[in-house]
Structures are given as structure tokens and as C-alpha cells.
Amino acid sequence: MTGDSPEREVILEARNLRKEFGGLVAVEDVSGKIYAHTLHSIIGPNGAGKTTLFNLLSGTMPPTRGQIFFKGKDITHQPPYRMVHQGLGRSFQITNIFPNLTVLENIRLAAQAMGHDSFKLFQHASRFQRYEDRAREVIKVVGLQGLEPVLARNLAHGQKRKLELGIMFAGDPEILLLDEPTAGMSSEQVPELLEILQRIMARGDKTIVLVEHRMDMVMSISDFITVMHLGQILAEGTPQEIAANPLVQKAYLGALYGDLGAT
Amino acid sequence: MSEKAEKRVNGKMGAPLGWIRQHWGELAVVVGLILFPYIFGLLSGTSVSQGATKFWQGQLIVMFIMAVYAMSYDLLLGYTGILSFGHAAFFGGGAYAMALFLTHVAPKVTDSYRIMVGSINIADLLMLLAGFLLAVLVAVLLGLLFSAVSSRVKGAYFAMITLAMGQAIHILSKATDFVDWTGADEGLHGVPVPIWLNPTQFRLRFYFIALAFMLIMYLITRRIVNSPTGRVFVAIRENESRVRMIGYNPAVYRSIAFVTAAVIAGLAGGLYALWTMSATPSMTSSALTINALIMGILGGIGTLIGPMLGAVLREFLGHFFYQWFGARWPLVFGVLFILLVLFLPYGIVGTWRLRRLELRQGWQRFLRLFKPEKE
């Protein structure tokens, strides 16, 4: 996951990360860096180990070996709920929201988690207007205006994906880890989501790590791309370098292109 | 804006009147309960403190206390999504704390200290408060114990562990090793309740105390479920893993839910010990836990008011079914319960709220048919 810009600040770093499931090595000693304020994509065919790598980076799974550093600090064995408070947010490949709560409450809860009012048992939640304000602001960023009072389970699939993004964004993370945010989306919905990602990047203070298998999608928006294959890093670089890389062209674009689901 | 809505805004009443209009249902129930002994006495021609009036005051006192107990269980099951089978331990723990304290400790203190104000010994009052404090303390400890032991298991295992711990408390309350203190199987009887609170002599006074207790506990619990913490409880019920990923530690919030529910149940147990002037192993039994579950499901979990209504219904039916069917009444009650679950799966209050919402939406759709769209 190294780019060619040594002057840039490293926000997330993996050192010799390894994950084994029984005899299967899903991620094999992966090292790399993610630079602050960039959009970094991890691509690869199904089974390349990208989701496992993603789960290691976001703290959902403990690695078999290796370390993860966030802004220079070792966070390898921290519980996931603490990661959020340090500025690491993640979204899920399978939509993971609060189905029976309203859109507003879904995001308001995430905003409330960042404050220090969650242990106030004897005050009414409506007294804490700032969380609701924050939630409405986030709703605007992800483009769910007008749907605030709707129960999350009644949203369309694309809207649920946006809500998922909103829940993560409400925590105001420095780095957003997105696991296939376009999974299950129709091709008309994808550009809308890319627009949201670009809107977030345009603020200039966020880093996005994107796991995708649609190569066409990441080419246009990524600053850096890491290509994974069989648990290892096959190639890294800017989209141009990746496109020009003979190894990627041969192994990935050529032989494996059909597996990618790219159109 | 529609004509009707405009009228509503223009015709807005003063703040207190508006509040009364908004909460007229609840207020009517409270006023009705306050007036109940007098109206009942008037209708049945008996004095307020005698005969049928007195008997029904007693029935209602039990309903009030059970309503609080059922409501405390709703905080766990209905709001946080915790299905615990040891809830009677909290209720019984509070009852035993109160009874043990009043039997073994309080008399020693009140015999040596007398602070008379009028005809009331203030020392008695202080001992009573200390008894409730002790009940709270026991409940907090039990709540922490339950959440600590059960925090690592889920689903059926969680239910089994809470059941096991509930039974452990039950066995402790029956243990012959402590027969001098607890009375073992027999339990503690004739607990020396202050004379001015004697439920036989001052039934009406006890009725109002129990009513006030229920109302205060309801207001507190309603505030808790609407607090920032309560919102996290609901989120845990909906999707625990997501709660973790947005930055809450669910284990902490589950413990808070356990302890709060335990304290409320413990206070109800303490008052129940005063009412029966006893503490018996039946107050820690799993049958009482199942009762909390039945009351909750009858009334509708996750609504607070539902389980309270369920408790009232359960006590009411229990009384009449026993009269009509004798000792076999639970059999009839069981059939009724099954029918209720089949036809009202969200309980009485839960189903009513759903229907009301559907009706209101249907009515709005109906009205829209006749109204031109306006911005």
C-alpha cells in the first residue's frame, strides 16, 4: 500500500499482517501505508483477501500476526468501539443499520456516541439538540433529506447504503473504511454514491479506504490503488501505474478480468 | 395549510391547558385511581376502610407493585432486548433486604432511639428509608453480578445462565443454613412494620403510598427510556454489533440496563415486603420471573405502560379465575394467554398503537382524496 509521495503523512500502516483461518492463509504478511487525505482503493477478485484485510484494519478481526498503526500508534488489539473514538470509521459490505429506528435516529445515535452525554439517564434525549443538528447536517451530506422520519427498513437499497455511510460519517472519522459501498447497487445508483465520496474528499480533511471489486469504478476516483491476489499484494500505485502495470494487465485484467464483475 | 390545522394553531390554548389536553388519558387514570376508594365505598355502601372497599384497595396495592415489577422487566426485555430468566432475584432480593433489616436490625435501633414528632417516631421512618436503601444496594449488587456473569454469553446460553443465577438466589432464600435469619422454607413473617404504615390498620394510607410509588417509578422509568442512555438501549435491542461499531461498548450499557431494572424491581420488592409484612421464597421463585414475562407479553413489551396494564390484568384475572375455576385456574389462564398471543402478538398496548397508527394514516389518505394539493 505504498505510494510514491514520501512527503505525505502516513495515517494508517500495516506491518506484516497475517490472518489464517485454520489452514487457509487469507492474508499473507501484507505491509503497506495509507497516506492522509487520499482515496486509496484495495481491489482484487473474490477470494483475494481484501475483505479480510479490511476487517483486520478496522479491528473487527484480530490478526494472527502483525501490527496496525493509526497515526503512529499501535491499535492492533483495541476493541472496535474504541477505534471509532480515535477517528476510524467503517462501513459494512452487508448493509448494517438499525432497521426499526428512523433515519434520523440511526445517525443521531452515531453522533451521540462521539459526545459525553450517553450516560445521562435522567435527562430527556431531546435536550441534546447538538446531536440532532449534527445528524441533519450528515443527512444532507449523504443526500437523504426528507427521509428523516422514515424507518430505516423501509428505505430502498441504495438509500440504505447511503444511510450506512451517514452512520459512519456522523462519527466524524478521520479515516473512512468502506467495504464495497456499491454492493448490490444498480448501475444508475453508483454514480450518485461516487459523488458523495467525492463530496467527502473535497472537504480535504478525510481519508478514504475503499475495498471494491469493480475496477472501472475505482479507476476514476482513486489516488492510489492496491491490487490484491491470493492474500498478497500484487501491485500498488496510482491508477495510471496500475493500468500500465504489465503484471496487473497480465494476471488481473487479462486472465482474471472475467471474475471481477467489471463491465 | 388546511383550514382545520389553521384553526388548531389559532385556537391554541394556554400552556397548562394544552398540557392537560395532551395527557388527558393519563390524568384521567390517575384521578380515577385517587378517587377509586371513595367511589367504590359510595357505590357499595361500605366505609372507605372496611369490607369490600378495603379488600379491593388491597388488590389494587398488589397490582400497583406488580405493575412496577413488570415495568422494570420491560426495561430489560422490551427496551434493551435482554431476555433474562432471573428477574425475581431482584424483586425477592429487595423484599428480603427490607424484611431482614426490619426484623433483625431496625428494632434494636428504634428501641434505643426515640425521636417523637407528634405520634410518629422519626427513628421508625429513618429505619424504613434505610430498609429501602438496603434494598437498592442489594439490587445494584445483584444487577452487577448478573451482568458480569452473563455478559460473555448470548441467546439460549444467556437465558440458561440467568435462570441458573435466579435459582441460586431462590435456593439461598430457602437455605436451612440461615434458618435463624431468613426462616428458610417458611420465610420471614410478621415483619415489624411501623404502626402508622401497618397495611391492615391503615389500608387507605398504604393504598396512596403504593399509588404514588407506582406513578413516580413510571415517570422515572419513562424518563430513562427517553434519555440518551435509553436510546442506546433501544439501539442494542435493534443491532448490537452495529452499536459497537459506532463507538459504544454494549457490555457497559447492558450492565446499566441490568442495574436500573434491578433497582426498580428491588424497590418494588421492598414495598411488597411491607405490604405482606413478610418475605418468602416464593418472592425469589422462577414462577415470579415467568409472571413478569407473562405480564409484559400480555400488555405489549417495549411500551412501559403495556406491562403495567398486563400486571393489572394478570392480577385481576387471577382473582376472578380462582373464584370461578378454583385451583385449576392457571389452566384456563394459559388457554387465554395462548389466544391473546395469537391474536394480539404485540400485546394489548402494542397492537393498539399499531392499529391507531394505521387508522390515522388511513384517515389521512382518505381526507387527501377530497383535498386539492397545496403547498
Side-chain angles (χ1 to χ4, degrees), chain A residues 19-39:
Chain A
K19 181 71 184 177
E20 297 169 8
F21 297 104
L24 176 82
V25 183
V27 171
E28 198 178 342
D29 306 315
V30 167
S31 297
K33 294 181 172 116
I34 294 195
Y35 295 98
H37 316 316
T38 60
L39 199 157

Side-chain angles (χ1 to χ4, degrees), chain B residues 183-194:
Chain B
D185 263 331
E186 294 283 307
L188 280 166
H189 289 278
V191 172
V193 173

Side-chain angles (χ1 to χ4, degrees), chain A residues 33 36 54 74 89 127 130 171-173 177 182 184 201 215:
Chain A
K33 294 181 172 116
F54 182 85
D74 189 345
R127 279 188 52 177
R130 56 185 171 281
D172 202 20
L177 307 170
T182 61
M201 283 313 289
M215 190 152 188

Side-chain angles (χ1 to χ4, degrees), chain B residues 309-324:
Chain B
L309 195 70
V312 170
L313 205 66
R314 160 72 184 68
E315 295 299 324
F316 216 71
L317 291 178
H319 174 73
F320 283 111
F321 279 17
Y322 183 74
Q323 277 192 350
W324 298 336

Side-chain angles (χ1 to χ4, degrees), chain A residues 195-250:
Chain A
E195 212 174 283
I196 293 171
L197 293 187
Q198 278 166 335
R199 216 180 297 157
I200 292 171
M201 283 313 289
R203 297 160 68 110
D205 57 348
K206 305 285 180 209
T207 309
I208 294 181
V209 178
L210 194 66
V211 167
E212 238 335 307
H213 66 209
R214 296 196 206 196
M215 190 152 188
D216 55 333
M217 187 193 123
V218 299
M219 278 300 179
S220 58
I221 57 165
S222 303
D223 297 307
F224 296 107
I225 294 176
T226 297
V227 185
M228 285 196 72
H229 185 49
L230 300 173
Q232 288 176 313
I233 292 175
L234 187 71
E236 290 175 311
T238 61
Q240 291 82 359
E241 286 168 344
I242 292 296
N245 189 317
L247 206 64
V248 177
Q249 275 181 345
K250 194 176 158 206

Side-chain angles (χ1 to χ4, degrees), chain B residues 101-113:
Chain B
F101 183 77
L102 287 187
T103 308
H104 298 294
V105 183
K108 285 174 192 152
V109 180
T110 44
D111 282 349
S112 19
Y113 299 97

Side-chain angles (χ1 to χ4, degrees), chain B residues 54-320:
Chain B
K54 189 177 178 183
F55 172 77
W56 276 103
Q57 283 165 31
Q59 295 296 105
L60 256 69
I61 289 169
V62 175
M63 288 177 194
F64 295 159
I65 297 174
M66 283 302 143
V68 173
Y69 170 65
M71 184 180 69
S72 75
Y73 193 65
D74 197 30
L75 200 57
L76 282 185
L77 179 64
Y79 284 88
T80 323
I82 298 174
L83 179 57
S84 158
F85 283 105
H87 207 59
F90 305 140
F91 184 86
Y96 267 96
M98 178 62 92
L100 283 169
F101 183 77
L102 287 187
T103 308
H104 298 294
V105 183
K108 285 174 192 152
V109 180
T110 44
D111 282 349
S112 19
Y113 299 97
R114 288 192 171 277
I115 315 157
M116 301 303 287
V117 173
S119 60
I120 290 175
N121 186 356
I122 294 292
D124 273 347
L125 188 67
L126 290 177
M127 284 302 104
L128 211 57
L129 287 178
F132 274 114
L133 274 179
L134 195 67
V136 167
L137 187 72
V138 167
V140 167
L141 290 177
L142 282 174
L144 285 175
L145 181 75
F146 266 67
S147 55
V149 174
S150 58
S151 67
R152 288 176 184 279
V153 287
K154 293 226 157 58
Y157 303 101
F158 180 86
M160 296 312 285
I161 283 207
T162 51
L163 179 65
M165 286 201 292
Q167 286 306 98
I169 301 290
H170 180 56
I171 291 165
L172 188 69
S173 71
K174 291 167 60 159
T176 43
D177 312 57
F178 308 109
V179 66
D180 292 341
W181 276 78
T182 61
D185 263 331
E186 294 283 307
L188 280 166
H189 289 278
V191 172
V193 173
I195 293 148
W196 47 268
L197 197 69
N198 187 306
T200 323
Q201 246 175 306
F202 298 100
R203 179 70 52 94
L204 192 62
R205 187 181 285 168
F206 206 101
Y207 174 85
F208 284 120
I209 289 174
L211 176 59
F213 171 75
M214 178 182 74
L215 294 177
I216 292 168
M217 291 325 271
Y218 169 67
L219 289 176
I220 291 177
T221 315
R222 198 175 68 171
R223 173 48 60 86
I224 289 173
V225 300
N226 286 323
S227 74
T229 321
R231 298 290 186 91
V232 183
F233 290 170
V234 173
I236 290 175
R237 177 190 75 194
E238 290 301 320
N239 188 345
E240 183 169 339
S241 74
R242 193 64 173 116
V243 168
R244 192 173 295 120
M245 295 312 299
I246 59 177
Y248 299 104
N249 183 356
V252 171
Y253 289 88
R254 288 162 65 98
S255 301
I256 295 175
F258 250 123
V259 170
T260 357
V263 166
I264 296 167
L267 283 171
L271 192 63
Y272 195 67
L274 293 180
W275 159 246
T276 59
M277 301 211 294
S278 71
T280 61
S282 69
M283 296 179 195
T284 59
S285 70
S286 54
L288 193 65
T289 299
I290 300 302
N291 261 340
L293 196 61
I294 289 174
M295 291 164 182
I297 291 171
L298 267 183
I301 59 166
T303 59
L304 283 195
I305 210 85
M308 296 174 86
L309 195 70
V312 170
L313 205 66
R314 160 72 184 68
E315 295 299 324
F316 216 71
L317 291 178
H319 174 73
F320 283 111

